[in-house]
Amino acid sequence: MAGDRYNHAKKVYADLGVDTDKALETLQKVKISMHCWQGDDVSGFEGAGELSGGIAATGNYPGKARTPEELMSDIDMAFSLIPGKHKLNLHAIYAVTNGEKVPRNKLQPVHFEKWVEFAKERGLGLDINPTLFAHEYASDTLTLSHPDKKIRDFWIEHCKAMRKVGEYFGKELGQPCLNNIWIPDGYKETPADRKGPRERLKESLDEIFSEKYSRDYLYDSVESKLFGIGVESYTVGSHEFYLSYASKNDVLCLLDSGHFHPTEVISDKLSSLLLFHDKIALHVTRGVRWDSDHVVTLDNELIEIAKEIVANHALDRVLIGLDFFDASINRIAAWVIGMRNMQKALLYALLMPLKEMKLLQEKGDFTRMLMMNEEFKTMPFSDVWDRFCEMNNVPVRNEWYKAVEEYEKNVLSKRQ
Ligand code: RNT
Ligand code: ZN
């Protein structure tokens, strides 16, 4: 029956000149970097410390992971419900130090051996982020741009240490690791000097990136932001700052879809960046009012992002990662919903007759273009998506939620 539905859909799309088998084959190769921090509300394993830096995970849903073992088990659960092979995105605070207190500027590859083992056993790739928040040296929301050189140096050393860890991931796993730098630096009030902190940030970054690594193992990216809670008036690492920095230096610009003005969208930025940058990186998330980190839903902007990547033949040039943290719902479900939605959006785009629609635009036939765009929305996309899930031996449609309910009953609810 499912096969019949797929064969019917295949015909419908073939009439538009689209090959569904080919779309599935392409989607199969796309790796999405799943952020580990949805599993524990960005707590990490350093103990004590509260989240800071203008980001917040709100909610109190029971069952959050408290140890590396619990987090790994939850990640396994999530990946068992997500079609395909992907990457796992780690933060420095997820180092596994077996009770030893290791200062962040002294972290080494050995502290991430457990994760490499985990990734190897499952055929996953790994990405990394230095953690420049939730720390006494970040308590005044200044890190790499801090006026105090001692504090800047600490964070420079930390970022350098994590690049080494990233290289190690790349070498061990045989696929490049993305090391992404995001800093919370900014001011609550209008600053008297906007340039000074940016000058210091620029110098810090130059120092961090002074060591060269092979692109076979490591890519670096810098992530901009508009504002954070408590730092509403000024953000040192703004979009213009990092876009310029990335253009002049051998690093990638990372766009977080929740880090722009509410009506500003990153889908419109991709084609411009792709003209000038070899590769770009994304944090796909959903901004809602002040929050930049709601679970990714299958909304118009997600589809538009996917369309831009596909239409520009840039699936190997755009490094897709997710970034949200919702503590008010089942955390594993949050991962699965976000990951599956990203894949659905990509499949939706892969099934569009984009070449033909581009021709309509060039001919100025906007009526037909609009008609196609709208009729496409009710084509049997879901039958192709179900096929993808079946091919990958993961539950179709809402069926996956049963496994999450079971896991919640048997595992999560026992974590007190
Ligand atoms: C914060 C940035 C950043 C973080 C993660 C935890 O606004 O989006 O990417 O969410 O590094
Ligand atoms: Zn982000």
Side-chain angles (χ1 to χ4, degrees):
M1 291 168 317
D4 289 352
R5 283 197 1 250
Y6 177 71
N7 287 330
H8 170 255
K10 194 174 149 94
K11 268 221 215 80
V12 173
Y13 287 104
D15 284 346
L16 296 174
V18 174
D19 182 344
T20 52
D21 289 339
K22 215 171 127 218
L24 291 172
E25 213 178 281
T26 305
L27 185 63
Q28 193 70 55
K29 290 188 221 133
V30 181
K31 287 180 197 226
I32 299 166
S33 191
M34 189 174 90
H35 55 310
C36 78
W37 53 91
Q38 165 61 56
D40 72 340
D41 317 336
V42 211
S43 304
F45 307 133
E46 283 181 346
E50 271 201 2
L51 192 52
S52 78
I55 54 177
T58 55
N60 216 346
Y61 202 84
K64 98 173 188 186
R66 298 156 303 179
T67 62
E69 293 70 32
E70 287 181 356
L71 187 59
M72 286 174 187
S73 154
D74 294 358
I75 290 167
D76 270 337
M77 187 65 226
F79 273 134
S80 75
L81 305 170
I82 298 162
K85 278 265 172 270
H86 299 278
K87 288 181 102 181
L88 179 67
N89 201 359
L90 298 172
H91 240 281
I93 48 172
Y94 293 86
V96 183
T97 62
N98 300 315
E100 193 196 336
K101 281 221 180 304
V102 183
R104 288 191 201 168
N105 61 338
K106 298 280 187 274
L107 284 168
Q108 288 173 38
V110 58
H111 303 119
F112 292 86
E113 263 176 2
K114 277 266 154 16
W115 285 113
V116 166
E117 215 175 277
F118 178 83
K120 268 189 189 163
E121 278 166 10
R122 291 154 181 80
L124 301 167
L126 287 177
D127 290 324
I128 190 70
N129 302 254
T131 312
L132 294 98
F133 51 82
H135 191 278
E136 54 168 322
Y137 287 169
S139 54
D140 49 9
T141 62
L142 293 172
T143 61
L144 291 177
S145 74
H146 205 291
D148 183 343
K149 184 167 184 310
K150 261 207 329 274
I151 293 189
R152 279 202 312 277
D153 283 347
F154 173 82
W155 291 116
I156 289 171
E157 282 172 30
H158 173 53
C159 290
K160 285 184 164 181
M162 298 322 289
R163 291 186 76 215
K164 269 218 178 75
V165 170
E167 185 202 36
Y168 158 70
F169 286 172
K171 281 191 171 160
E172 288 291 322
L173 303 172
Q175 53 177 304
C177 163
L178 177 69
N179 169 62
N180 172 56
I181 300 183
W182 172 73
I183 62 168
D185 299 33
Y187 292 109
K188 185 182 177 83
E189 274 310 332
T190 311
D193 172 22
R194 290 173 189 268
K195 191 167 148 234
R198 288 183 173 139
E199 247 163 15
R200 290 193 290 270
L201 173 56
K202 181 172 176 290
E203 269 170 32
S204 296
L205 292 173
D206 288 347
E207 176 57 36
I208 291 165
F209 297 129
S210 60
E211 199 170 336
K212 298 293 165 212
Y213 288 95
S214 159
R215 283 280 175 108
D216 289 341
Y217 309 125
L218 183 74
Y219 281 91
D220 293 287
S221 63
V222 284
E223 177 183 6
S224 66
K225 196 167 180 176
L226 184 62
F227 80 95
I229 300 169
V231 281
E232 291 86 359
S233 297
Y234 168 77
T235 297
V236 184
S238 61
H239 181 52
E240 292 70 20
F241 177 92
Y242 282 130
L243 184 57
S244 308
Y245 192 89
S247 303
K248 292 243 173 185
N249 297 276
D250 192 23
V251 301
L252 277 55
C253 191
L254 184 144
L255 301 176
D256 182 308
S257 55
H259 287 187
F260 294 87
H261 285 279
T263 59
E264 189 180 359
V265 284
I266 67 158
S267 52
D268 184 53
K269 301 180 191 296
L270 300 183
S271 50
S272 301
L273 263 70
L274 285 168
L275 280 174
F276 298 96
H277 299 254
D278 167 36
K279 280 192 160 60
I280 52 182
L282 301 183
H283 271 181
V284 179
T285 182
R286 179 168 50 109
V288 179
R289 301 192 187 277
W290 61 266
D291 179 50
S292 63
D293 302 295
H294 272 56
V295 177
V296 167
T297 53
L298 187 57
D299 56 15
N300 282 339
E301 170 59 1
L302 189 70
I303 287 174
E304 214 54 40
I305 290 171
K307 235 167 81 186
E308 287 302 315
I309 299 173
V310 171
N312 290 294
H313 309 287
L315 278 166
D316 54 346
R317 294 174 59 201
V318 181
L319 312 182
I320 308 172
L322 304 187
D323 180 16
F324 48 77
F325 25 102
D326 191 334
S328 74
I329 58 173
N330 181 298
R331 294 169 184 81
I332 293 159
W335 267 324
V336 179
I337 291 167
M339 288 288 283
R340 287 173 66 122
N341 277 338
M342 186 70 242
Q343 292 179 292
K344 282 182 204 163
L346 288 168
L347 181 60
Y348 187 96
L350 284 165
L351 292 174
M352 288 190 86
L354 291 168
K355 244 197 246 149
E356 214 184 273
M357 291 176 72
K358 184 178 161 186
L359 280 176
L360 294 176
Q361 177 180 321
E362 275 159 21
K363 279 200 298 202
D365 193 348
F366 302 113
T367 315
R368 200 179 180 89
M369 193 179 84
L370 177 63
M371 180 279 291
M372 285 294 290
N373 213 33
E374 295 312 298
E375 286 305 326
F376 192 82
K377 290 178 178 170
T378 46
M379 291 204 183
F381 157 77
S382 63
D383 294 337
V384 187
W385 167 250
D386 288 354
R387 169 69 152 221
F388 188 63
C389 292
E390 278 168 7
M391 276 166 52
N392 282 280
N393 292 313
V394 302
V396 291
R397 297 183 293 279
N398 52 313
E399 289 292 308
W400 63 265
Y401 192 62
K402 275 188 206 146
V404 172
E405 280 179 311
E406 278 286 294
Y407 190 79
E408 177 164 317
K409 198 170 104 215
N410 299 330
V411 181
L412 299 181
S413 70
K414 309 224 156 94
R415 293 179 189 165
Q416 296 298 348

